[in-house]
């Protein structure tokens, strides 16, 4: 049996008194498009950070194609491309320079880096901003250059934290197309989002995280059953009554 | 007034929250030192002459120049917080001004201005009555001068020319403050403080108390003008600074190591804050070394290069923190040596300037070549090693560059720790040069290979330690930068100068005193005195060893060095012991 693209076993993280992630278990099959949904503060970002080696878990393990992220980081990190939410980049470089820098760090040859950077910038429509430093990028452009860095070294798994937040509809369509192509070519994608429609539209697997625990996980059709994902989600996280509340002064 | 009071209350609340954490220790330490200085100022009020006016000039310069060195000054309340409220600029500036009166620095300054009350009481009833408004107005002048300077600097840092120009000016001013003894000696020889000091804005409060009530009105007018200027500058602050968008040279690196160097060198040339820091360190070195020429001392001139290198190290001591969460990319590419690349880039940016400065300044006074060259090589290596090691070991979480808003100098929320780290770095880098300097003093040219040797060792060894630490604790460092909190502890971030909570008050005091004053025996009374002795310069101002009988001169200077190292050693030992105990 082949190992899953990403396997999370019992990941736990406590900040002070607050248990942000509580024994999360997830398995992302190879070739799947996996959506991780949850409310703000449910623990999506913390889980994904631990899964790719950006945050040390208190307990549990994460494996990428069988390679343990913490015991064998060199191998695991070569197989994964990551887009974290809201992190800085080398801000004083242009988009092309960021890609060149990272490609070389990843051990790619100069020629390969130049070729891929050219293609990524053109597909993501960042080649218009050749002289713009990343610090001057808009939020949407930052997402796109982040996605480009995640794709640069031809990973087999993409882990994307809120890849569509603040991205305009045209760019979103481009990104969706790239991701679908990536999965069609045998790659696996994990993305987090709180836009249910988007997850329903893109993903074939879904995991629902609530208060640091997995409330439901599996193929999309199994999780949502007959209802829409949104209804099922509200039912799972038990936040039913908010719609009825109004604001007293409006 | 409602806006102003709300802002003041808001600042009180924020300060109260930050007092609870480790930052409280830094604040208490700084406050204690401030009270001592304020006490000293009040004592001057009992002396005649213009001593008090001179002291207030120093306080004013401190307010103006302090923010440059300590990360943009007090920004507990940022103008951006209120940009959506639609306040008129004047009203916002007035509110922020009132809020700016809340805090340790204004409280300490107000205490120092108590000297006006002393003078007033001695003048009579009228003097005493005038002293109270004079104190408040004088403090407002200090605070506003500081705010307007920071705002102007923020504008200046929007362009390369401005950044470098501001760095040059700040370097000169801070060097003058650092070499204040020169002016004291110069004045001591002349017997009098020049009269113009009395008529600087810092002396207007004193003039008012002494019966020239017009000065009171002058202060009020100055305050109105400064407030208007600040309001205008605040309105412009909303517009972000834009780095230049001229053609970019293509990246030619072909290896991971080369890529890090290329990235860092681009940051050095494009980041206007770094431009400012280098320009600042450069003029500081030159001015610090040249100022003693005013009293006929030319022996410090060759120190321009070494001092520039030390100051550059201090300014860049939080290298990783300043880059913020971009550290995640380093984590995702294990094996690529980020530390070594940064070290090489640091040397490339600072080394040539430091070397040229050392050679030119030494040639200008004809020596002592072995000593300066030994120190320069040892410092370059020591700094390249220590900057990487310190910024990893004692990382102070920075604000991500794109979130710094209108104050580019503000690279960290915890500016107290950042300043402490800069001072600590000055001292530590100086210590790395001590062996080579001693060899050079004793055996002349042998000091140069010694300097090269210790330099290479520091560069290699400290870099290795930094790299290991970065590999072992990389995720924890990233977490610290993201949240400002150390993992595992829910406590606020602690930097190099924050004391562990389990220390007794006595231990705290010892650590603070040793840390704050260890430099005095080590540098001026120890190392600089040795330079004078080696050069046969005797009876120099306050360098004790130069006044000793021949047999005692060297022992006294060496004794001071030992004392300084012992003070730092004690502070460090107590601190690390408590830190270890706290970790258990």
């Amino acid at each position: 049996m082949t190992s899953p693209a990403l396997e999370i076993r019992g990941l736990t993280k406590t900040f002070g008194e607050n248990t942000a992630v509580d024994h999360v278990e997830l398995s992302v099959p190879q070739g799947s498009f996996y959506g991780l949904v949850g409310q703000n503060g449910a623990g999506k970002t913390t889980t994904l950070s631990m899964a790719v080696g950006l945050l040390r878990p208190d307990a549990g393990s994460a494996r990428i194609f069988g390679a343990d992220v913490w015991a064998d980081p060199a191998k695991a990190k070569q197989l994964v491309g990551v887009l974290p939410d809201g992190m800085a980049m080398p801000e004083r470089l242009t988009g092309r320079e960021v890609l060149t820098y990272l490609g070389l760090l990843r051990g790619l040859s100069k020629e390969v880096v130049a070729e891929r950077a050219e293609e990524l910038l053109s597909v993501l429509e960042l080649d218009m901003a050749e002289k713009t430093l990343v610090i001057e990028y808009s939020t949407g452009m930052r997402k796109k250059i982040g996605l480009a860095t995640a794709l640069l070294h031809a990973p087999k798994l993409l882990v994307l934290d809120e890849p569509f937040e603040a991205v305009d509809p045209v760019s979103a369509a481009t990104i969706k197309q790239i991701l679908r192509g990536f999965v069609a070519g045998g790659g696996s994608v994990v993305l987090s989002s709180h836009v249910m429609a988007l997850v329903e539209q893109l993903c074939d697997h879904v995991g629902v995280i609530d208060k640091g625990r997995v409330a439901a996980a599996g193929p999309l059709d199994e999780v949502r059953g007959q209802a829409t994902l949104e209804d099922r989600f509200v039912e799972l996280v038990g936040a039913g009554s908010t719609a009825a509340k109004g604001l007293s002064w409006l | 007034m409602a806006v102003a009071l709300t802002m003041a209350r808001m600042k009180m609340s924020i300060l109260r929250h930050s007092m609870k954490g480790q930052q409280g220790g830094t604040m208490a330490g700084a406050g204690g030192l401030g009270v001592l200085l304020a006490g000293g100022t009040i004592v001057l009020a009992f002396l005649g002459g213009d001593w008090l006016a001179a002291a207030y000039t120093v306080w004013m310069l401190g307010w103006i120049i302090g923010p440059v060195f300590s990360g943009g000054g007090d920004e507990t309340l940022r103008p951006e917080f209120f940009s959506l409220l639609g306040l008129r600029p004047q009203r916002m500036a007035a509110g922020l001004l009132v809020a700016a009166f809340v805090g340790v620095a204004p409280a300490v300054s107000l205490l120092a201005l108590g000297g006006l009350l002393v003078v007033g009481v001695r003048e009579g009833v009228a003097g005493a009555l005038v002293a109270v408004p004079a104190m408040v107005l004088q403090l407002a002048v200090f605070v506003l001068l500081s705010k307007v300077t920071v705002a102007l600097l923020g504008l200046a840092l929007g362009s390369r020319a401005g950044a470098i120009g501001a760095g040059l000016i700040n370097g000169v001013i801070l060097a003058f403050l650092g070499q204040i003894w020169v002016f004291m000696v110069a004045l001591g020889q002349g017997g009098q403080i020049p009269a113009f000091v009395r008529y600087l804005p810092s002396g207007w409060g004193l003039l008012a108390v002494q019966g020239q009530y017009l000065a009171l009105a002058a202060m009020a007018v100055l305050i109105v003008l400064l407030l208007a200027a600040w309001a205008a500058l605040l309105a412009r602050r909303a517009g972000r600074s834009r780095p230049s968008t001229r053609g970019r040279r293509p990246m030619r690196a072909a290896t991971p190591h080369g890529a890090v160097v290329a990235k860092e060198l681009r940051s050095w040339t494009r980041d206007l804050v770094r431009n400012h820091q280098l320009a600042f360190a450069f003029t500081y070195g030159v001015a610090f070394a040249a100022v003693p020429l005013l009293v006929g001392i030319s022996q410090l001139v060759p120190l321009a290069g070494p001092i520039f290198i030390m100051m550059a190290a201090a300014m860049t001591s939080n290298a990783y923190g300043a880059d913020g969460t971009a550290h995640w990319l380093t984590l995702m590419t294990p094996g690529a040596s980020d530390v070594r690349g940064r070290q090489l880039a640091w040397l490339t940016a600072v080394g040539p300037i430091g070397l040229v400065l050392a050679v030119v300044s030494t040639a200008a006074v004809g020596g002592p070549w072995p000593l300066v060259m030994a120190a320069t090589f040892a410092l370059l290596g020591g700094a390249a090693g220590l900057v990487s090691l310190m910024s990893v070991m004692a990382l102070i979480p920075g604000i991500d560059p794109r979130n710094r808003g209108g104050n580019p100098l503000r690279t960290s929320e915890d500016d107290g720790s950042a300043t402490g780290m800069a001072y600590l770095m000055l001292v530590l880098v100086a210590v790395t040069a001590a062996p080579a300097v001693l060899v050079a003093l004793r055996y002349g040219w042998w000091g140069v290979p010694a300097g090269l040797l210790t330099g290479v060792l520091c560069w290699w060894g400290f870099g290795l330690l930094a790299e290991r630490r970065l590999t072992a604790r990389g995720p924890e460092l990233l977490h610290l930068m993201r949240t400002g909190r150390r993992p595992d502890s829910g406590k606020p971030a602690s930097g190099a100068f924050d004391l562990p909570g389990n220390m007794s008050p006595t231990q705290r005091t010892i650590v603070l005193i040793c840390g704050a004053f260890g430099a005095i025996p080590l540098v001026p009374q120890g190392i600089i005195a040795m330079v004078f002795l080696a050069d046969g310069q005797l009876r120099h101002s306050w360098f004790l060893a130069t006044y000793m009988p021949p047999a005692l001169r060297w022992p006294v200077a060496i004794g001071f060095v030992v004392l300084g190292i012992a003070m730092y050693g004690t502070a460090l030992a107590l601190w690390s012991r408590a830190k270890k105990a706290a970790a258990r």
Side-chain angles (χ1 to χ4, degrees):
Chain A
M1 193 196 136
T2 53
S3 49
L6 173 66
E7 184 159 40
I8 291 172
R9 287 261 160 273
L11 278 186
T12 301
K13 187 75 195 177
T14 308
F15 298 117
E17 317 244 297
N18 168 31
T19 304
V21 173
D22 189 4
H23 294 93
V24 163
E25 309 256 340
L26 286 174
S27 181
V28 177
Q30 287 193 21
S32 67
F33 204 136
Y34 203 106
L36 202 57
V37 295
Q39 286 178 288
N40 293 334
K44 301 186 295 285
T45 298
T46 309
T47 304
L48 292 182
S49 297
M50 289 192 286
V52 299
L54 290 178
L55 179 67
R56 201 185 301 277
D58 294 341
S61 68
R63 287 171 180 275
I64 294 170
F65 294 100
D68 191 298
V69 170
W70 295 97
D72 188 5
K75 186 169 177 214
K77 287 173 181 176
Q78 203 191 340
L79 294 167
V80 65
V82 178
L83 169 66
D85 188 27
M87 297 250 204
M89 299 287 272
E91 306 277 341
R92 315 281 167 186
L93 299 187
T94 63
R96 187 182 298 275
E97 286 170 344
V98 167
L99 295 179
T100 310
Y101 161 68
L102 273 172
L104 293 172
L105 279 196
R106 292 276 190 184
L108 301 177
S109 81
K110 205 179 157 186
E111 293 73 30
V112 172
V113 173
E115 223 168 88
R116 290 187 188 171
E118 182 65 48
E119 203 175 328
L120 280 167
L121 291 173
S122 126
V123 170
L124 289 166
E125 289 161 344
L126 289 170
D127 49 354
M128 314 298 288
E130 200 63 66
K131 289 179 180 176
T132 314
L133 302 183
V134 172
I135 194 166
E136 301 168 287
Y137 273 21
S138 67
T139 317
M141 288 167 82
R142 294 187 82 93
K143 285 280 181 204
K144 290 202 275 183
I145 193 70
L147 186 66
T149 64
L151 291 164
L152 183 64
H153 58 292
K156 293 168 79 181
L157 168 70
L158 283 178
V159 176
L160 316 171
D161 197 358
E162 302 281 2
F164 294 99
E165 207 173 57
V167 175
D168 66 82
V170 179
S171 304
T174 313
I175 294 178
K176 280 178 201 169
Q177 203 184 341
I178 293 173
L179 295 182
R180 282 200 182 107
F182 180 77
V183 173
S188 318
V189 175
V190 181
L191 63 80
S192 75
S193 179
H194 39 233
V195 183
M196 300 299 149
L198 186 109
V199 172
E200 264 183 314
Q201 186 194 1
L202 280 177
C203 300
D204 47 46
H205 283 67
V206 65
V208 181
I209 303 234
D210 183 39
K211 301 189 185 79
R213 292 164 187 266
V214 178
L220 178 64
D221 291 329
E222 277 179 30
V223 171
R224 69 177 164 187
Q226 298 301 314
T228 65
L229 183 59
E230 183 155 340
D231 290 342
R232 180 71 181 130
F233 177 78
V234 172
E235 187 185 319
L236 278 169
V237 306
S241 59
T242 43
K245 289 177 194 160
L247 296 172
S248 59
W249 73 92
L250 291 178
Chain B
M1 209 55 202
V3 171
L5 286 178
T6 310
M7 285 189 183
R9 267 203 297 271
M10 187 170 163
K11 182 158 177 195
M12 288 283 258
S13 309
I14 298 177
L15 282 184
R16 220 174 21 242
H17 287 303
S18 52
M19 280 298 277
K20 279 178 198 154
Q22 304 276 339
Q23 238 173 307
T26 321
M27 272 159 90
L33 198 63
V35 169
L36 279 181
L37 292 174
T41 309
I42 293 176
V43 170
L44 291 179
F46 291 97
L47 303 176
D50 287 327
W51 286 103
L52 192 61
Y56 286 148
T57 309
V58 174
W59 281 88
M60 181 175 74
L61 287 177
W63 271 96
I64 293 175
I65 202 75
V68 179
F69 201 65
S70 71
D74 171 44
E75 287 247 318
T76 314
L77 294 192
R78 291 200 222 170
E80 285 86 6
F81 292 174
F82 310 102
S83 54
L84 290 179
L85 292 182
L87 292 175
R88 279 186 298 109
Q90 284 83 353
R91 209 157 163 224
M92 177 148 97
L96 288 172
L97 175 64
V98 172
F101 278 111
V102 179
V104 177
V108 165
S109 301
L110 195 64
L111 187 64
L113 287 170
L116 293 180
L117 200 60
V118 173
V119 174
V121 170
R122 285 159 60 116
E123 291 277 329
V125 179
L129 283 178
V130 172
V132 177
M135 281 167 69
V136 176
L137 289 176
Q138 190 73 69
L139 183 62
V141 168
F142 287 171
V143 172
L144 274 170
L145 276 173
S146 174
K147 294 286 179 192
V148 170
T149 312
V150 169
L152 279 174
L153 263 180
L155 274 191
L157 288 182
S159 75
R160 188 180 310 272
I164 293 174
L168 298 178
I169 296 169
N170 294 332
V172 171
I173 299 180
L174 200 69
F176 275 36
L177 279 180
Q179 294 285 51
I180 197 98
W181 62 270
V182 168
F183 297 99
M184 288 183 175
V185 170
L187 298 170
Q189 285 164 357
Q192 273 302 313
I193 287 171
F196 77 87
V197 168
R198 219 182 306 162
Y199 298 102
L200 293 175
S202 51
W204 292 357
L206 193 57
L207 287 179
V209 172
Q210 287 166 342
Q212 301 192 33
Y213 301 124
L214 203 59
L216 223 46
M219 274 199 287
V221 171
L222 183 62
I223 288 168
V224 170
L225 288 178
L226 286 171
L227 198 61
W230 190 31
L233 288 165
L234 280 179
R236 294 198 54 177
R237 170 171 158 137
R240 272 277 274 284
S241 65
R242 294 180 63 82
S244 66
T245 48
R246 64 198 165 80
R248 307 282 178 205
R249 55 190 187 280
M251 222 183 234
R252 298 204 187 281
T255 60
H257 183 68
V260 178
V261 176
K263 183 253 304 177
E264 277 294 302
L265 283 179
R266 278 166 176 71
S267 301
W268 274 102
T269 53
R270 292 175 189 171
D271 186 348
L272 296 180
V273 175
R274 290 209 202 184
N275 288 178
H276 173 256
Q277 289 174 339
L278 264 193
F280 171 84
F282 181 83
T283 23
Y284 184 84
V286 172
F288 191 93
V291 164
L293 285 174
L294 292 178
V295 285
I297 298 177
S298 63
Q299 284 80 3
L300 290 185
V301 169
L303 291 183
I307 289 173
F308 159 70
I309 297 167
M310 284 164 64
M311 192 47 91
M315 298 300 282
T316 54
S317 55
N318 197 22
Y320 275 97
D323 283 355
T325 50
H327 178 56
W328 76 273
L329 288 166
T330 312
L331 280 187
M332 290 312 292
T333 50
S337 68
D338 195 61
V339 170
R340 293 297 185 207
R342 278 172 184 264
Q343 285 186 305
L344 194 57
W346 195 92
L347 275 181
T348 313
V350 176
I353 308 175
L355 217 53
V356 168
L357 197 53
V359 169
V360 170
S361 60
T362 311
V365 292
W369 287 102
L371 186 68
V372 177
M373 289 299 119
T376 304
F377 290 127
L379 284 172
L380 279 175
L386 276 174
V387 165
S388 55
L389 182 62
M390 284 283 286
S391 68
V392 173
M393 297 296 282
L395 184 130
I396 296 157
I399 303 171
D400 275 0
R402 78 198 129 105
N403 297 333
R404 280 177 202 159
N407 187 349
L409 284 178
R410 187 92 189 149
T411 55
S412 171
E413 292 289 355
D414 192 0
D415 54 334
S417 297
T419 313
M421 187 159 164
Y423 282 118
L424 188 65
M425 183 59 103
L426 274 181
V427 175
L428 290 178
V429 172
V431 169
T432 63
V437 166
L438 287 177
V439 173
L441 286 173
R442 194 91 180 78
Y443 303 105
W445 281 104
W446 281 108
V448 178
L452 279 170
L453 181 70
T454 60
V456 169
L457 277 178
C458 287
W459 168 81
W460 175 78
F462 291 146
L464 188 69
L465 288 176
E467 207 156 65
R468 283 197 184 152
R469 174 86 177 177
L470 204 59
T471 312
R473 306 290 291 169
E476 282 72 17
L477 291 176
L478 179 66
H479 183 75
L480 175 60
M481 287 191 244
R482 266 176 108 164
T483 61
R485 285 163 199 279
R486 301 243 173 230
D488 318 319
S489 66
K491 286 182 199 146
S494 70
F497 258 43
D498 294 337
L499 302 178
N502 56 346
M503 276 187 152
S504 72
T506 324
Q507 283 175 326
R508 272 169 193 279
T509 317
I510 293 173
V511 170
L512 284 172
I513 290 175
C514 286
F517 299 111
I520 294 175
L522 182 63
V523 184
Q525 294 296 355
I527 295 170
I528 294 182
M530 282 185 186
V531 175
F532 283 136
L533 290 182
D535 208 42
Q537 294 287 322
L538 297 178
R539 303 198 153 269
H540 255 310
S541 55
W542 68 305
F543 301 101
L544 188 65
T546 60
Y547 288 92
M548 289 286 139
L552 284 178
R553 282 173 199 157
W554 280 94
V556 166
I558 292 170
F560 270 121
V561 170
V562 172
L563 176 65
I565 293 174
M567 283 170 80
Y568 281 118
T570 309
L572 210 63
L574 283 174
W575 173 75
S576 70
R577 205 174 60 190
K579 194 112 176 166
K580 272 189 199 128
R584 253 182 253 126

